[in-house]
Amino acid sequence: YWNKKNILMSISGSSWLKFGLFTVGLGQSFVFVLVPPLARDLGLSEVQTSSIFAISAFAWALTSAFWGRKSDKYGRRNIAVLGLIGYSISLIALITPLFLVERNILDVVYLFPALVLGRLLNGLVGSASRPASFAYIADTSSKEKRTLKFARLEASFLVGTVVGPLLGGFLFLITNETPFYVFSFLALIAAFGIYKELNNTSIKKDNVKDDIKIKWYSKSILPFLAYAAVLSLCQASLLQSIGFYITDLFREFDELPTLISMTFALLSISTIVSQYLFTDTFPMKNFNLLLFGTLLLVFSYSTMAFFQSISVYYLSIIILGFGFGMTRPALASSLSLAQTPENQGSAAGYLGSVIPIGHMTTPFIAMPIYAINPSYLYYFSSILCIGLILFIIFHPTIRKSSLI
C-alpha cells in the first residue's frame, strides 16, 4: 500500500529540484504583484519600493557566486536546500511588516527598514538555490541536451510565476497573509524532498584550491555576464514598473490588481511556451535563440512605448515572453558549454550574481526615466536590446559557444 511517505519518496531528486524552483516562482511573482502597490498605499514612494528589491538584489549579486563555489565543495543538494530554507523564511519576514502597519500594530516609520531586512534575507541566503540547481543540471546532462535541460528547469520556476498570482489571489481571500505562509511551507517541503532524494553531486576535491577557480573577468565568462547584465536591467525595469504602469495609464479599468496579475501570468506563460517550442519541439542553436529572441524584445518594447492601449500592451507582453523564453536558456547554456566541468558551479554562480543587477540599478536608472514619462522607459529598453543584437553578432566568444 501507499502512504504519504511512500508517495513523497517516489518522486525523483531532479523532480524535487524542479518543484523547489517552482515554489520560488510562486512567491517571487506574488511579491511583485502585491508589495509595490501596497507599499505605495502605505506611504512609500516608487523609489523606496524599488530600493527594497534593489538592496536584496545587491546582496544576491554579492553572494550568488559564493554559493556557486560552495556547491562545488559541499555539493549541489546541500546548497540548494539551504537556499530554499532562506527563501521560505524571507517570505514571512517580508509580508509581516506590511500587514502589521496596515493594522496599526507597527508604526509606519519602521515599514521601510523592516521590508528591507525581510527581503534582504532572500538575497543573502535564498540566492543559494539557483546556482546550485543549474550546476547540478550541468553536472548530469550532456552538451547536446544542456539547453533543453536548462530550459525545463527554468520552466519550473516560470510555471510558479504563473500559478503564484492565481493561487495567491485565491488564498488572499482567506486572509491577506495566507498566500505567503502557504508558499513558504511548500518551499520547506521542497527542501526536505531535495535533501532526501537528490544525489549530492560535487566536483571539487579536497586537494583543489579555491584560488585556481575561474574568474568572472575570464574571456569565457565576461561576455555572457555583460549580456546578462543588460538583459537583467531590461527585464527588472519591466517587472518593477508593471504595477505602476497599469495603475497610471489604465486607471479607468476596474479591478486593476487583476490586470496586473494577468500581465505577470501572460508574460510567464508565453515564456514557458517559447522555451518548449524553441528548445524542445523545434530546437534552435543557441546563437539563433539569442539573436531572434533579442529581436523580439526590441519589437515588443518599442510597441509598448508607442501604442498606449491595453490590447497592444498585452500583445507586447506576450511577445516579450517569447523573447525572454528564447534568450534565457540559451544564455545559461552557452555560458555552461564554454566552461570545463570543474568550473560549472562557479560559472552558474557568476551568472546568478549578474542577474539581479537589473533590480539593483532599476531605482537609479529606470525609475527616474519612468517618472519623466512611462513610455521613455520602454524606448530605453529597446535601445539597450539593439545594442545587445550588435554584441551577439560581433563578439567572437558569444558566437563560438552559441553555435551548438
Side-chain angles (χ1 to χ4, degrees), residues 343-354:
N343 290 322
Q344 293 296 333
S346 296
Y350 287 134
L351 183 59
S353 294
V354 169

Side-chain angles (χ1 to χ4, degrees), residues 395-404:
H395 199 286
T397 303
I398 296 282
R399 288 186 62 88
K400 180 180 178 181
S401 64
S402 300
L403 291 176
I404 297 176

Side-chain angles (χ1 to χ4, degrees), residues 76-102:
R76 317 303 188 197
R77 181 198 66 189
N78 294 341
I79 301 302
V81 167
L82 178 64
L84 283 172
I85 293 174
Y87 155 75
S88 175
I89 297 173
S90 74
L91 276 182
I92 306 302
L94 176 67
I95 202 61
T96 300
L98 281 169
F99 294 117
L100 289 179
V101 170
E102 196 174 39

Side-chain angles (χ1 to χ4, degrees), residues 65-77 79 131-132 135-136 138-139 200-206 208-210 213-214 340-350:
F66 168 81
W67 291 125
R69 291 192 297 271
K70 292 305 176 184
S71 76
D72 287 339
K73 182 176 182 180
Y74 298 109
R76 317 303 188 197
R77 181 198 66 189
I79 301 302
Y136 175 84
D139 293 343
N200 194 32
T201 63
S202 178
I203 296 298
K204 185 174 177 61
K205 307 300 181 183
D206 291 337
V208 178
K209 297 181 179 179
D210 286 334
K213 282 297 181 185
I214 195 167
T340 56
E342 63 270 15
N343 290 322
Q344 293 296 333
S346 296
Y350 287 134

Side-chain angles (χ1 to χ4, degrees), residues 32-280:
F32 281 112
V33 169
L34 183 68
V35 172
L38 184 57
R40 186 162 70 169
D41 289 344
L42 292 174
L44 298 187
S45 68
E46 289 90 342
V47 173
Q48 281 181 308
T49 304
S50 296
S51 297
I52 296 167
F53 297 102
I55 293 170
S56 173
F58 181 70
W60 187 297
L62 289 178
T63 58
S64 184
F66 168 81
W67 291 125
R69 291 192 297 271
K70 292 305 176 184
S71 76
D72 287 339
K73 182 176 182 180
Y74 298 109
R76 317 303 188 197
R77 181 198 66 189
N78 294 341
I79 301 302
V81 167
L82 178 64
L84 283 172
I85 293 174
Y87 155 75
S88 175
I89 297 173
S90 74
L91 276 182
I92 306 302
L94 176 67
I95 202 61
T96 300
L98 281 169
F99 294 117
L100 289 179
V101 170
E102 196 174 39
R103 293 164 184 169
N104 296 317
I105 299 174
L106 180 69
D107 194 290
V108 69
V109 72
Y110 300 111
L111 178 61
F112 179 67
L115 290 177
V116 168
L117 289 175
R119 187 65 179 175
L120 184 61
L121 184 59
N122 183 61
L124 291 173
V125 185
S127 58
S129 57
R130 188 178 181 91
S133 299
F134 278 87
Y136 175 84
I137 296 301
D139 293 343
T140 58
S141 63
S142 65
K143 290 185 176 182
E144 294 75 17
K145 296 291 185 180
R146 190 74 49 85
T147 304
L148 174 60
K149 295 292 186 181
F150 277 2
R152 288 178 175 173
L153 186 62
E154 180 74 18
S156 302
F157 171 80
L158 292 171
V159 170
T161 65
V162 175
V163 177
L166 301 177
L167 179 59
F170 172 75
L171 295 172
F172 195 77
L173 299 176
I174 302 174
T175 68
N176 293 342
E177 301 91 339
T178 300
F180 296 90
Y181 290 126
V182 171
F183 296 160
S184 175
F185 180 67
L186 291 175
L188 290 178
I189 292 177
F192 176 77
I194 290 171
Y195 183 78
K196 296 294 290 185
E197 294 298 311
L198 194 73
N199 293 325
N200 194 32
T201 63
S202 178
I203 296 298
K204 185 174 177 61
K205 307 300 181 183
D206 291 337
N207 60 351
V208 178
K209 297 181 179 179
D210 286 334
D211 58 8
I212 68 170
K213 282 297 181 185
I214 195 167
K215 305 299 183 182
W216 65 268
Y217 47 81
S218 165
K219 65 179 182 180
S220 68
I221 288 186
L222 184 58
F224 301 100
L225 300 188
Y227 179 95
V230 176
L231 189 68
S232 172
L233 175 59
C234 294
Q235 187 170 22
S237 61
L238 172 73
L239 293 176
Q240 293 192 34
S241 66
I242 282 175
F244 299 135
Y245 188 83
I246 290 179
T247 302
D248 294 339
L249 269 71
F250 307 120
R251 62 177 67 250
E252 69 274 12
F253 289 92
D254 297 327
E255 304 296 334
L256 288 179
T258 302
L259 293 180
I260 296 171
S261 295
M262 284 179 56
T263 304
F264 281 97
L266 282 175
L267 181 63
S268 298
I269 291 172
S270 57
T271 302
I272 295 167
V273 171
S274 173
Q275 287 185 344
Y276 277 103
L277 277 178
F278 301 116
T279 65
D280 195 353

Side-chain angles (χ1 to χ4, degrees), residues 317-395:
I317 287 292
I318 292 172
I319 298 173
L320 272 174
F322 270 80
F324 287 130
M326 297 171 75
T327 54
R328 290 180 60 162
L331 175 63
S333 175
S334 297
L335 173 61
S336 175
L337 292 170
Q339 314 307 317
T340 56
E342 63 270 15
N343 290 322
Q344 293 296 333
S346 296
Y350 287 134
L351 183 59
S353 294
V354 169
I355 289 175
I357 281 180
H359 289 293
M360 292 164 51
T361 55
T362 288
F364 313 106
I365 298 178
M367 283 306 171
I369 297 174
Y370 180 92
I372 299 172
N373 189 314
S375 297
Y376 292 172
L377 175 59
Y378 301 126
Y379 281 127
F380 175 70
S381 295
S382 179
I383 292 171
L384 290 180
C385 289
I386 291 173
L388 287 180
I389 291 173
L390 298 175
F391 187 69
I392 293 166
I393 293 174
F394 293 109
H395 199 286

